[in-house]
Amino acid sequence: MPCLTVDRLYNYLDGALPPKDKVEVDRHLAECPACRRALEVRKRLAEAAEHLPPFAAPENFAACVMAKVPAAAVKKRRLWTIGLPAAAATVVAGLGLAFLLWGQSIVSALQKTGAAFGSYLQDALNYAAKGLKLLSLAGKIIITVSGRVLDTLQSVAEMVGPDGRAVLAGGALVIVITGGMLLRRRQFLSERTHDK
Amino acid sequence: MVEDKKASGLEDSKLVRKVLRGDRGAFEAIIRKYQQPMLNYVSRMVREREMALDVSQEVFLRAYASLSTYRPEYKFSTWIFRIASNFLIDHWRKKKIVAVSLDQPVENDGDECFLQVADETASVVRELELKELQASLEAAMDRLPAHLRELFVWRHVNGMSYEEMAEIKNIPVGTVKNRVFQAKEMMRVLLEESSCPV
């Protein structure tokens, strides 16, 4: 067997040679002082490198880094899981409260706004493709449905009187807060499940 | 050993999840875990102590800022060392240090490591005391091209596998191996040249 190549020598040191090749190299090393010396030199070099003294890190290194870490947590994903449902709940609660407090005026305001929105959509539809017509339809349906919901709420409000309205407003607020807390708890539990 | 690494990987993912939920203490735990290997690597790449501390600090801050992009199916150590390696590339580019490029093109790997071994002469590597040898080694390391020095440090100081290094640099394992062998041979030659002939 000819003398070892450098890559063969390093593969031998790494223990990466197939068993048959290793036997051949062992046999050659037993016969060849030059290759034995070459092996010894590279082995010593690797050992010296592996035991190089570590960089002396200051004790407060982690604290120094933490002092520069922004106070706000990395929360990008949380906005979608908590922020949006919370925002939606707030809007619904706000509308409900406004209706209970101002009664008919808010209904008519909503209807006027809805009508204006509808006509604006109709104008825009003249220039838009067929797909946008679906949007208009959806908008009209939402307006009708919300109008009916608000009508029902109005009749309820008339039935219960001013005291009842106050009680209903308080009840709506409690429902929203409880809902928010339940949402948060659900997310917390799902995070704990992920941890396991 | 493999199980230790797996457990460590699981622990890292857990810590990352905690950080993403706003637990700053978990990020401090990550820093404490990786500060020593990171400083061992960075200090051999930039050499000045203060600079090594600044660069390592910046690496951890970058890791924190982009933690939501970390994918737990990959090793955290690989991810953070990739950030460090890329940071050093940017750092040197900004400073316009052309001679030390870490992103050496793969096709530049030649056959230098496949030369025949010819060690008939006495070697300083064998003669020097360990401490002297280590001092000479540190000095010789400075003279290695950065792309080879980086792999040498990862392999011998940080104890990384060829596969880990290949993943960090996004190059084939065979190329990493060739470069590490090349780095080791260059180190040996530099050591022999720098010392008085025996």
Side-chain angles (χ1 to χ4, degrees):
Chain A
M1 180 189 177
C3 278
L4 303 176
T5 55
V6 174
D7 72 312
R8 203 164 163 83
L9 196 63
Y10 282 125
N11 275 317
Y12 177 82
L13 277 172
D14 282 342
L17 285 180
K20 196 184 150 203
D21 289 9
K22 190 189 169 296
V23 171
E24 276 180 22
V25 172
D26 281 335
R27 198 175 299 146
H28 177 78
L29 285 170
E31 296 164 354
C32 177
C35 283
R36 272 205 305 278
R37 274 199 297 275
L39 181 75
E40 193 192 323
V41 164
R42 280 143 184 101
K43 204 172 171 181
R44 185 137 201 267
L45 207 59
E47 281 168 359
E50 273 151 27
H51 294 96
L52 281 174
F55 181 93
E59 274 187 23
N60 62 345
F61 178 78
C64 285
V65 180
M66 287 312 291
K68 293 198 173 179
V69 165
V74 192
K75 276 181 177 173
K76 283 177 189 168
R77 290 186 296 183
R78 294 163 67 83
L79 181 72
W80 296 96
T81 51
I82 294 179
L84 281 186
T90 310
V91 169
V92 170
L95 281 174
L97 277 173
F99 168 74
L100 287 168
L101 293 174
W102 293 297
Q104 182 60 44
S105 58
I106 188 78
V107 176
S108 60
L110 271 176
Q111 280 172 340
K112 277 177 191 169
T113 313
F117 179 67
S119 75
Y120 170 77
L121 255 179
Q122 277 175 353
D123 289 344
L125 278 174
N126 291 331
Y127 307 101
K130 272 187 180 178
L132 284 176
K133 281 184 182 172
L134 287 172
L135 266 179
S136 162
L137 192 62
K140 282 178 181 171
I141 290 170
I142 288 167
I143 290 160
T144 317
V145 170
S146 31
R148 291 210 176 145
V149 170
L150 290 172
D151 283 345
T152 315
L153 280 171
Q154 190 192 12
S155 9
V156 172
E158 278 167 7
M159 268 166 53
V160 294
D163 292 344
R165 284 182 206 173
V167 171
L168 281 174
L173 206 62
V174 169
I175 288 170
V176 169
I177 291 167
T178 317
M181 285 170 72
L182 282 174
L183 243 165
R184 178 70 194 100
R185 182 175 160 71
R186 198 176 148 190
Q187 202 213 7
F188 175 70
L189 286 174
S190 88
E191 280 168 354
R192 287 190 55 163
T193 318
H194 277 298
D195 279 351
K196 282 175 186 173
Chain B
M1 187 70 179
V2 175
E3 284 191 359
D4 281 355
K5 282 193 171 183
K6 268 187 185 172
S8 168
L10 280 176
E11 197 185 301
D12 287 344
S13 302
K14 217 170 179 176
L15 285 172
V16 170
R17 272 203 300 272
K18 283 184 176 179
V19 181
L20 290 173
R21 288 202 304 264
D23 182 348
R24 288 164 62 87
F27 191 68
E28 191 165 349
I30 289 178
I31 298 173
R32 287 190 190 285
K33 183 172 177 184
Y34 286 101
Q35 65 181 23
Q36 194 60 66
M38 186 57 71
L39 284 163
N40 285 344
Y41 159 60
V42 174
S43 63
R44 261 103 196 174
M45 300 308 291
V46 298
R47 281 300 169 190
E48 291 164 36
R49 184 180 166 81
E50 287 308 310
M51 177 71 84
L53 288 169
D54 286 350
V55 168
S56 303
Q57 179 170 294
E58 198 51 46
V59 168
F60 283 113
L61 291 174
R62 279 196 180 192
Y64 182 82
S66 51
L67 208 57
S68 57
T69 66
Y70 166 69
R71 288 159 63 191
E73 59 264 35
Y74 297 107
K75 281 184 72 175
F76 186 79
S77 56
T78 307
W79 184 74
I80 201 162
F81 273 99
R82 186 181 294 158
I83 291 177
S85 182
N86 290 338
F87 181 85
L88 286 169
I89 292 170
D90 289 347
H91 173 74
W92 281 321
R93 271 195 197 134
K94 276 179 200 159
K95 295 216 159 198
K96 297 188 176 159
I97 302 174
V98 183
V100 279
S101 170
L102 284 176
D103 49 354
Q104 190 79 358
V106 173
E107 58 271 19
N108 276 11
D109 291 293
D111 290 335
E112 294 101 307
C113 346
F114 304 106
L115 299 173
Q116 205 74 8
V117 170
D119 273 16
E120 297 293 342
T121 55
S123 163
V124 291
V125 175
R126 281 202 313 248
E127 318 273 322
L128 289 172
E129 290 293 319
L130 183 66
K131 280 198 173 174
E132 290 174 309
L133 179 59
Q134 285 178 328
S136 309
L137 205 63
E138 295 273 18
M141 226 187 285
D142 281 348
R143 296 170 62 196
L144 273 186
H147 73 287
L148 295 182
R149 194 189 332 156
E150 177 175 65
L151 297 179
F152 182 87
V153 171
W154 281 345
R155 177 71 183 162
H156 288 290
V157 181
N158 292 105
M160 285 187 197
S161 68
Y162 295 118
E163 287 74 15
E164 280 173 288
M165 293 189 270
E167 208 180 312
I168 295 172
K169 298 302 288 181
N170 200 22
I171 53 178
V173 176
T175 307
V176 169
K177 247 182 152 179
N178 277 351
R179 286 185 181 179
V180 171
F181 293 172
Q182 202 180 329
K184 290 201 256 196
E185 274 311 280
M186 208 180 271
M187 284 284 283
R188 187 187 63 80
V189 172
L190 285 167
L191 272 170
E192 302 288 2
E193 281 174 0
S194 64
S195 307
C196 299
V198 182

